[in-house]
Every structure is written in C-alpha cells, then in structure tokens.
Amino acid sequence: MLLSRVAESLYWINRYLERAENISRFVEVSEAMSLDCPPGSAEPWLPLIDASSDRESFDKRFPEKKPDDVINFLIRDRLNPNSIISCIQLARENARQIRDVMTSEMWEQINILYWNMQEGETIWNKPRQEQLSEIRRECQLFYGITDATLSKDLSWRFSILGRLIERADKTSRILDVKYYLLLPSLDKLGGVLDELQWIALLRSAGAYQMFRKAEQNSIKPNSVARFLLLDPIFPRSVRYCLDGISNTLKMIDSAPPPENPSELECMRGLLKAKWSYIRIEDIINDGLHEAIDSLQIDLNKLNDLIQEKYFIN
Amino acid sequence: MKYMFSSYRPKNSFDEYFKDNVNSAREILIPLLSSLDNMGLEELNRNHSAAKKLLLRHGATFRLNDTGLKGTERILPFDPLPRIISKDDWLILEKGLKQRLEAIDLFLDDIYNSQNIINDGIIPRELIESSDGWRPQMIGFKPPLNKWCQISGLDLIRDRKGDWHVLEDNLRCPSGVAYFLENRLVMKNIFPNLFSGRIVKPIDEYPSYLLKTLQELAVWTDTPKIVLLTPGIFNSAYFEHSYLAQEMGIQLVQGHDLVCNDDYVYLKTTSGLKRVDVIYRRIDDDFLDPLNFRKDSCLGVSGLLNVFKAGHVALANAPGTGIADDKMIYSFVPKMIKYYLDEEIIIKNVETYICHYQKDQEYVLENLPKLVVKSVSEAGGYGMLIGPQSTSSEIEEFANKIRKNPRNFIAQPTLELSTVPSLCDGELYPCHVDLRPYILRGKDSWVSPGGLTRVALKKGSLVVNSSQGGGCKDTWVVGK
C-alpha cells in the first residue's frame, strides 16, 4: 500500500535526479566537443538549451548568449527550474516529504548531494568536468543505493517509472540536438567533424563504448540513431526504457481488465509495440525529428495518465 | 587538576561537573573527565565539527518559522560534553514524573467529565474555562484506556542548590525527542571512547515503546494501522516527525492524505482508501479539524473529531490536553497530586504567582525586575519577560500588558539554572541547561532514561529554546 502523495514524490525524485544527471552529460560532452570545433563552425552550446526546451526563458534573460551563460544557466542557475541545482533541490524537497518511506541511506545520499551543491562548497572549486562527473556519480550512487536498499514493492516501482520516463525523453533529446540543430546542412554529413560530433553525442548519452561493442563499423548517423532509439539491451536506449516502463506499469496494476483496457493501459501497450517493431530506415525516411517529437508528446501523455490514475485522488 | 579544564571557571550557579572549582569534580564525573582529558581540547573541537557534519548529513535540521526567509534551514547546535545524571537521582525523577503524569491524566479525565476538582473547590471553574487549552467539545468524552496524554515531555531544571523542579508541563505535541535520540547516535559515532568502561543507560527503546503505546490505543483491533500526522516540511519539527515515522515503520501523512467518510478515517493510496486506526498527531488541536476547531485550517482533516468521538480512531494525544499545560494550571499540579493520589509531590514546582489573583498581581507588578513573567498561552520562549535582563521601558511595557490581561500571565522568581561545561567558541564555558524527559503512557508508563538537555550556548544566556539560539547535549544516566 502506497500513499498517492508518496508515489508521486518517488516518481519525481527520480525524474529530477535523472534530469540532473542528463544535463551534466549534455554539458560535459558539449564542453569537450567545443574544444574540437574549428572557429566559425556550428558551436555546440545553444542546442543544449533547445534540447531542454528552455530557449525562450534563456533568450529573454541572456540576450548575449555567451557559452558561459549557457553553462551557468544549465548548472547553477536557481531561476532556471531545469538547471542541475534546481533539479537537485526539487528532488531533495520531495525526498524530505517522504523520508519515512525511503531508506535512511537513500535520504542521506540525496541530502548530502544537496548540501554539496550549496554556495561555498568545495565542488565549485574543481574544474568543470570534475564538477559534472561528480554530480553524475552522486546521482548514480542514489540509484545504486535505491536498488540495493529499497524493498521491491510499489515504492520501488514508482521510482523506476520516473527514472525510465525521464531517461527515454532525454536520450531522444540528445539525438535530436545533433541531428536537427548541430548540422543543418546535409552536405557536411560524413566529414571528420561530423564523426567527432557523433562520438561526442554517444558519449553524452553514456553510450559510446556499448555502441562500439554493438556495431563495430564506422560511425554512421543511421547506426547511432538505431542504437540510441531501438537497441533492445542498452539501458539508456528509448526502446529499453519503454520496455521497462511497460513492465513496471503492468506490475503496478497487476490485473488490468483485458477486454476493456484503460487509456493508460492502451498507451503503455501501443508505445511498447511501436518502438519494439519499427525499423530505423522507416524512422529516418519519415523524419527522425518528427519521430522524436511524437515520442516526446507520447511520453508527456503517459506522464499525465499516470498522474491522473495514481497521484490524484 | 585536569589540564583540559584548567581555565574553566564554574559560575555562581550549580555546576553539574564541579562542586566549586576545577579541583573538586563531582565523583560521578571523574571517569569522564579523565577520558576527556586524554582527548584534549583540540581533538574535542575537531570531532565537534565532524559531529555537526554528521547531523547535517542525516538531515537533523529545522527551519525557523519567524524569519520569513525560505530555506533558512540549520542543525540544532549540538554540544559534545555530555550531561551526567546518577542512576540514584534518576530513579527519584522517574518516580516523580510518573506520579505527576498520573495525576494530570486523572485531572483531564475529571475535568472533561464529572468535574469533581471544581465542585470540591480545589480549582476555580473560571480558570479552567478561560484557558486557551480548554476544549468544551470534549466534555463527556472518554478516550481509549481513559488516557488523554500518551506522550509528554516535561521541562525540569536544577536550582542553585541542585534541587530539581518542574518548570513546565508540555502535554500537547512536545518536540525534541528526535534530537534526544540523534544526539546519542552522534556521540556513539564520533566520541566512542567516552563511552568505554561506563554503563550509560541506553535510550534506543523509545521508538518501540512509542509504537507499543500507540498500538494499545486501538482497542478494537489486533492489527492497527498507525500513522503520524505532520503539518509538513515547513514545520520546524518536521525532521522529528519523519524521523519517528521512519523509526517506527509507520506512515508519515499530511492532512490531505486523509479523509473522513461514514464515521471512519481513511488514507488515500494508489490502490484506493484504507482505514486508519491510530493517529499520532503532531498538529495542535486548533488545526486538527476545520469542521470542529479552526475553520481556516488546511493542515487537518475535516470531521476527524467526530470519528474520534465515535470511537473509530484513536488520537494521541487526545484533543483538550492543553488545559493541563496552561502555565497557570501548572501551579495547581501539587494540589492535583494530593487530591487524586493523596501523595506529596516528588519533584517540586517552581513558586508561581498568578496575575489573575489581585494579591499576586500586586506583588508581581512591584517586583518585576526580579521576576520572570510568562504568557500562559505561548511557548518556545516567546511572550516572556526576564526581569533582571530587561530595561525599565521593557518592564513598563510588560506591566501594562499584565494590567490589561492578567489571566494571561504568571510570574516566577528568576532561577539560576544549573550549568554544564560546554564548547562556546572553541573554549569550555559553563552554560545553563534544562532537561526534557519524555513520558509515554499506554497500558503502562515508561520514562526515557535521561532526556533532551537543552543548553543556552550563548555566554550568560538563560534561554535554552532552540528558537532562541539554544542547543542540546546528550544526557547520560550512569550507574549500575
């Protein structure tokens, strides 16, 4: 038995931490990538803002759009609700509400992460790459502690649900950034810079080594897109996440009526089926950006249906 | 004699470590002093910082309500030098606390039912019915086990001679017990050497006894569903609420997680409504139920009192216990003990002047610079005048308040609370302390060994409340 409010908090704690982790991936890789960018080439900063759908508020506040503005906006800006620091604060605020449900080790991890991010803490004296990997490690430590200390009951399932939905969303956004924004002109496809950027993109999705292991060929846009969207066993791929979401939802609602499925049940089944059976050639032919867009709309819908069914009552 | 304490100078008040100077340690303190001396001041300070970090990591923090700044969150200042009470002293205190609570519970039951104590002329009706804690809604009601006050925390002090007194009865939602437990945890983690070779009475059973006490209230079932009701994360005691819920393995809920339906109260869960049997409520009466108490409360549960009165849920503590911790009713506790138990009071009250009475009022107004005046309805060190530390205009202002609303004020002589050596700016300094032991009353009574020692960590300050800059210490009941 799980309180609706508690389920909602667990779901969001995991979404926020997953978001913080992904933003750190975005920034870390873009920073590395910018070092390889020749002057005048497409620079990798503003697409990051697009990837998190915060372009409007960013442009309003930082009309000069300097790289440092982007980085601060994404990491330390308390006015940006999607910055790393805001995500961690929101996660901790939710965690504070449900400390009795989390294990004390989970709570301590999220609490110490929060305090480490405050002004004057040593993390801010470190080089940025170190800051980012530390933040990411701390988030991953939270998942690890959750998996190792929390009973696999409803509270765990709602945690997983939040984590996977956020991850599917962010992996697709990472791909979208590269495909649509970094290289608007197709004639540059296939150059050296292009390959470097695909590598950077894979790294930012934490996928470089696993991709190499799976593909063994040179890095081609189609194969990268296939890997990030459709790979059945890579834990950050969209398909893998959707499988997990589907299984978790089935376990949460153990006996859904088969003849008269709810809207949530339909959504769950359709999403899983679609991303299990579609081929990458078809996605590319119909437009990768469009496919990603519709995925994001579907994930939002899924979020709303979960909200409606389990969190409001 | 002891290097570490060589520059320590006890004050004029009763020092709990030393009889009059650092060469005359109290016998029970000698082993601790030698362990401390082995550690040295430098290491003590270093470990003190480690202790503070540990508290922060555990999230033992509170938010101040009165600053208006969102996010002013901090730990309760923690002092590493434990306060020690001998087991012999403790046995007397324990007996005295049980006695006092027994009488108070009989008083509560009487006052909301047959009112013998009024009819027999021991306590005037007008004082009862004019109290902020009086809840006429409870008249004629009998709570489960006939007990009103399951959880209480009394404030004790030692005077200049070292004699113990009860300073206040906290019978509504006394807080601090999580710090009491947490302090011991921190001491064991950071200062394990101080414990070695000593028998310090363990306190870890508190959550188990609390759970048992709460379970016993659900007389209608063997498998009660128990929850802890909190106002939420902005309450200054929120850390404690979540801590206790976690320790007991019960759910921590807010008002909007609960709903009353057909004379029962339910939890809103992902799989529908589930019945609740016992609520350890950490919300004051006023906010508990907008239908029956304050209409504008959004913290409570509408209709909760009706479910309680129908006998379908137990509330700890029962609404209405505030009448007995009115600071004026406090002065009648010795009479209650005599009246209900036919015993003499074991732990004395502090002499108290009741401004409601003409004669007392005159005395108080004439002697304000010597007295401490307290508003009967306020807690947390607010609404207080400490005569000797106040300017003449502050005193005059308070005198007017008393004349305007005498029922609201009591006065007590200024007490030099006892002192215990504490770290102030890295040095050892005698700081004033009080003690809040916790008493649980289900089918049996249980008193926490020791309690929360609150300490005024500002040099010269007598105010130990956390909202006024006070801190806390671990408290050891020591002896075979």
Side-chain angles (χ1 to χ4, degrees), chain B residues 258-268 272-276 291 301-304 306-308 310 312-313:
Chain B
L258 296 170
V259 61
C260 296
N261 219 339
D262 311 327
D263 260 357
Y264 290 91
V265 56
Y266 298 93
L267 268 180
K268 298 179 194 168
L273 298 178
K274 303 279 177 212
R275 203 185 142 188
V276 172
L291 192 68
V301 190
S302 199
L304 188 55
N306 303 2
V307 179
F308 180 56
H312 295 161
V313 73

Side-chain angles (χ1 to χ4, degrees), chain B residues 105-119 125 128-129 134-148 309 318-319 323 340:
Chain B
D105 234 358
L106 289 168
F107 165 73
L108 284 164
D109 204 50
D110 182 22
I111 212 72
Y112 287 115
N113 287 284
S114 36
Q115 304 199 326
N116 293 329
I117 200 162
I118 296 177
N119 300 334
R125 180 178 298 277
I128 301 283
E129 293 181 354
W134 175 241
R135 293 287 175 270
Q137 295 94 327
M138 303 315 296
I139 290 175
F141 179 72
K142 294 268 183 193
L145 308 175
N146 273 358
K147 293 214 166 83
W148 292 73
K309 287 170 93 169
I323 180 67
Y340 294 113

Side-chain angles (χ1 to χ4, degrees), chain B residues 175-188:
Chain B
S175 61
V177 76
Y179 295 106
F180 162 64
L181 300 171
E182 185 74 11
N183 287 347
R184 177 65 55 87
L185 207 75
V186 169
M187 286 299 285
K188 281 180 171 169

Side-chain angles (χ1 to χ4, degrees), chain A residues 1-5 7 92-93 96-97 99-100 102-104 107-108 111-112 115 154 310 313, chain B residues 56-59 63 73 225 233 238-239 242 246 251-254 256-257 267-270 274:
Chain A
M1 185 187 68
L2 187 63
L3 280 184
S4 301
R5 174 176 60 81
R92 184 208 183 231
E93 211 59 353
R96 247 165 74 80
Q97 305 247 17
R99 282 182 57 174
D100 56 312
M102 291 190 296
T103 65
S104 53
W107 157 251
E108 275 183 40
N111 187 43
I112 207 71
W115 286 110
L154 275 177
Y310 295 110
N313 74 38
Chain B
L56 196 64
R57 191 173 94 210
H58 286 180
R63 281 185 190 177
E73 195 182 322
K225 174 73 189 164
I233 59 170
Y238 180 76
F239 157 68
S242 56
Q246 189 168 32
Q251 258 161 328
L252 180 66
V253 305
Q254 298 177 16
H256 53 85
D257 295 323
L267 268 180
K268 298 179 194 168
T269 79
T270 54
K274 303 279 177 212

